[in-house]
């Protein structure tokens, strides 16, 4: 089964039969023994629309999180289109191309399909011009965990009570910080919101693709910047540690913390616990254009 969410959008219509585990704003699934997971998406306290999109296909071990941007309905359309397009590509090809050495390229191809779909839709509909989205993908296959990342949403590893960011923010703040030429406290915080690449509008994408070594009881956290912009990493780790036995409660507590910090943005989280131990660690950078 898989589930997806853009909560406010779903309030206007009944449950979609294509998403049998779908809920309005949160979800948790624990079928089988490959993994357990939980997610939650919330518009926050200021914005009326939710431009985040979460898709959790636990049966296939595919998880996607996207944070859209664009005027009017553009952000909602972009995030949904990118996630569902990538998901369709992955579920179509994983059965015959599921060997570990092929998954990084398969994820890059799925991202390229999403990139092209968002770009073409923005050209076809003037009201969607310039729309785009971040995108994070996670695949859990036979105990190995692969990630693919573009934008400023994040994937974290929670290991032995410590939280470590494993993706690199694609924004101007991160570029200047990495240069080492400017002290962090002198880089304007507004630069965190200037993306250096995004699915749809960027001429070329260079995704960050990894296969992770994890140990029993490790967790992956996927989240939009609505969480990280309102809650610091230390507090995120504390919340995760305090809700270790209940992933659904953990997801809810993280969203509540973001809203407790003012809820300035849409906030989405997806927590994944693989129940087998990965044994491979690689990093790949692959360019893709429209």
């Amino acid at each position: 089964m898989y589930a997806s969410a853009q909560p406010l959008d779903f309030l206007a219509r009944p449950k979609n039969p294509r998403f049998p585990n779908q809920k309005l704003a949160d979800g948790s699934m624990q079928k089988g023994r490959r993994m357990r997971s939980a997610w939650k998406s919330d518009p926050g306290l200021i914005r009326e629309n939710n431009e985040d999109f979460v898709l959790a296909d636990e049966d296939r071990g595919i998880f996607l999180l996207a944070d859209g941007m664009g005027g009017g309905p553009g952000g909602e359309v972009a995030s949904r289109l990118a996630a569902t397009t990538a998901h369709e590509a992955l579920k179509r090809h994983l059965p015959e191309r599921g060997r570990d050495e092929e998954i990084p390229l398969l994820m890059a191809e799925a991202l390229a399909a999403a990139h092209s779909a968002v770009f073409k839709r923005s050209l076809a509909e003037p009201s969607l011009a310039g729309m785009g989205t971040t995108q994070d993908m996670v695949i859990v296959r036979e105990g190995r965990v692969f990630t693919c990342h573009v934008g400023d949403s994040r994937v974290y590893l929670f290991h032995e009570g410590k939280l470590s960011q494993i993706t690199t923010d694609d924004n101007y703040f991160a570029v200047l910080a990495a240069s080492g030429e400017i002290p962090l406290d002198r880089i304007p915080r507004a630069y965190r919101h200037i993306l250096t690449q995004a699915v749809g509008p960027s001429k070329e994408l260079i995704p960050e693709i990894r296969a992770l070594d994890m140990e029993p009881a490790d967790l992956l956290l996927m989240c939009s910047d609505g969480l990280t912009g309102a809650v610091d990493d230390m507090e995120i780790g504390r919340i995760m540690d305090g809700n270790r036995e209940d992933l659904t409660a953990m997801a809810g507590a993280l969203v509540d913390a973001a809203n407790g910090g003012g809820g300035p943005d849409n906030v989405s989280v997806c927590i994944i616990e693989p129940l087998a131990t990965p044994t491979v660690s690689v990093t790949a950078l692959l360019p893709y254009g429209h």
Side-chain angles (χ1 to χ4, degrees):
M1 300 292 185
Y2 59 89
S4 67
Q6 274 179 331
L8 293 183
D9 186 40
F10 289 153
L11 292 175
R13 64 181 189 271
K15 183 183 289 186
N16 186 333
R18 293 183 58 213
F19 298 87
N21 275 352
Q22 182 178 327
K23 299 182 180 180
L24 288 180
D26 58 64
S28 62
M29 292 171 283
Q30 298 186 35
K31 292 184 63 178
R33 291 184 171 275
R34 292 178 59 202
M35 68 201 77
R36 62 182 185 133
S37 66
W39 54 265
K40 186 167 185 177
S41 186
D42 189 270
L45 302 182
I46 295 177
R47 300 190 179 188
E48 294 184 0
N49 296 334
N50 190 350
E51 297 183 331
D52 291 356
F53 191 89
V54 179
L55 194 158
D57 181 351
E58 192 171 288
D59 281 354
R60 297 182 177 89
I62 301 170
F63 301 86
L64 300 105
L65 186 148
D67 178 358
M69 64 204 76
E76 293 177 79
V77 173
S79 60
R80 179 191 295 269
L81 180 59
T84 55
T85 300
H87 177 251
E88 287 297 319
L90 291 172
K91 74 176 186 179
R92 183 168 61 249
H93 295 298
L94 267 176
E96 72 272 13
R97 295 177 56 193
R99 294 190 298 274
D100 290 350
E101 61 270 21
E102 293 190 76
I103 288 179
L105 182 57
L106 180 58
M107 296 180 86
E109 291 172 353
L111 178 67
H115 188 45
S116 178
V118 173
F119 177 67
K120 290 177 180 178
R121 182 79 176 271
S122 71
L123 293 181
E125 299 183 37
S127 65
L128 302 178
M131 72 175 181
T133 184
T134 71
Q135 182 143 294
D136 280 295
M137 291 184 267
V138 168
I139 292 178
V140 181
R141 287 289 278 185
E142 303 301 330
R144 292 180 172 86
V145 178
F146 298 82
T147 67
C148 177
H149 163 82
V150 168
D152 65 351
S153 298
R154 293 179 178 178
V155 180
Y156 287 91
L157 173 66
F158 186 70
H159 171 72
E160 295 184 346
K162 295 182 180 180
L163 192 70
S164 301
Q165 183 179 342
I166 61 172
T167 53
T168 304
D169 294 343
D170 289 323
N171 58 32
Y172 198 36
F173 185 98
V175 170
L176 294 178
S179 74
E181 298 298 322
I182 304 174
L184 293 182
D185 59 2
R186 294 185 59 191
I187 304 175
R189 287 188 59 83
Y191 286 4
R192 295 180 184 272
H193 304 294
I194 303 175
L195 296 189
T196 54
Q197 61 174 354
V199 174
S202 294
K203 190 172 183 179
E204 182 180 75
L205 293 182
I206 303 178
E208 184 178 49
I209 300 176
R210 300 180 184 272
L212 304 177
D213 289 322
M214 295 178 67
E215 298 179 5
D218 285 353
L219 300 174
L220 285 182
L221 169 65
M222 307 171 71
C223 62
S224 62
D225 67 342
L227 176 66
T228 55
V231 187
D232 63 38
D233 285 6
M234 184 173 296
E235 179 64 9
I236 292 171
R238 189 194 66 78
I239 293 170
M240 294 180 71
D241 200 35
N243 293 274
R244 188 63 186 78
E245 299 304 316
D246 187 340
L247 298 190
T248 300
M250 183 186 297
L254 290 170
V255 170
D256 288 347
N259 287 334
D265 199 355
N266 307 149
V267 55
S268 297
V269 301
C270 183
I271 304 154
I272 308 158
E273 181 179 21
L275 301 181
T277 304
T279 58
V280 176
S281 180
V282 299
T283 300
L285 296 175
L286 302 171
Y288 271 85
H290 293 304

